[in-house]
Amino acid sequence: MSKREIYEKKTEEFVLPILEEFGFEFVDVEYVKEGQDYYLRVYIDKEGGITIDDCEAVSRRMNDILDRENYIDDQYIFEVSSPGLGRELKKERDYKRNLNKEIEIKTYASIEGKKQFEGILCAYNEDSVTIESNNKKLTIEKNKISLIRQALHF
């Protein structure tokens, strides 16, 4: 397991009881380097959306744990935030939440002459997703997908 995976796993273990206490949903955790800085980010959600006050409450509780446990070797910036409207579908619960909703998919290589698709997510499994668009179903293998998220129209 990589250092990144270890940090993310431990962070998830520590934050889950806090989120359960507040009634928030755990979306994701990431440990990434951007420029010179490392970031430890926890993404949370709830029905009706997360507020700044919600993020602050979780951040305060997690900061105490991060200081006490001190399991990350590098200097880093800790952030708690909403995943935003354009969040990617990564986990089983993301696919389940978006079943029968319009999604957009971008692929690494062309499929039927296109690299971008929109349609209703009608099925998914461990290896592929199926969308319906214009009364036609298209199944795309997940390893060919560079981005998959709920479609946004403004």
Side-chain angles (χ1 to χ4, degrees), residues 7 31-32 37-41 62-63 65-67 70-79:
Y7 294 164
Y31 183 74
V32 295
D37 298 317
Y38 284 96
Y39 289 86
L40 177 64
R41 291 189 181 110
M62 268 305 289
N63 276 323
I65 293 169
L66 292 168
D67 289 344
N70 197 27
Y71 58 91
I72 298 177
D73 298 329
D74 310 304
Q75 292 249 358
Y76 62 93
I77 298 164
F78 178 62
E79 297 178 345

Side-chain angles (χ1 to χ4, degrees), residues 20 24 44 62 65 80 82-83 97-98 104 125 129-130 154:
E20 188 174 306
F24 300 157
I44 62 175
M62 268 305 289
I65 293 169
V80 178
S82 162
R97 183 186 309 109
N98 284 282
E104 82 177 76
N125 61 37
V129 296
T130 301
F154 295 99

Side-chain angles (χ1 to χ4, degrees), residues 36-76:
Q36 299 287 348
D37 298 317
Y38 284 96
Y39 289 86
L40 177 64
R41 291 189 181 110
V42 173
Y43 296 97
I44 62 175
D45 207 356
K46 71 176 182 185
E47 192 68 37
I50 286 292
T51 68
I52 291 172
D53 291 338
D54 296 334
C55 293
E56 182 182 349
V58 172
S59 181
R60 285 180 192 269
R61 293 281 299 279
M62 268 305 289
N63 276 323
D64 291 341
I65 293 169
L66 292 168
D67 289 344
R68 182 181 70 235
E69 298 296 326
N70 197 27
Y71 58 91
I72 298 177
D73 298 329
D74 310 304
Q75 292 249 358
Y76 62 93

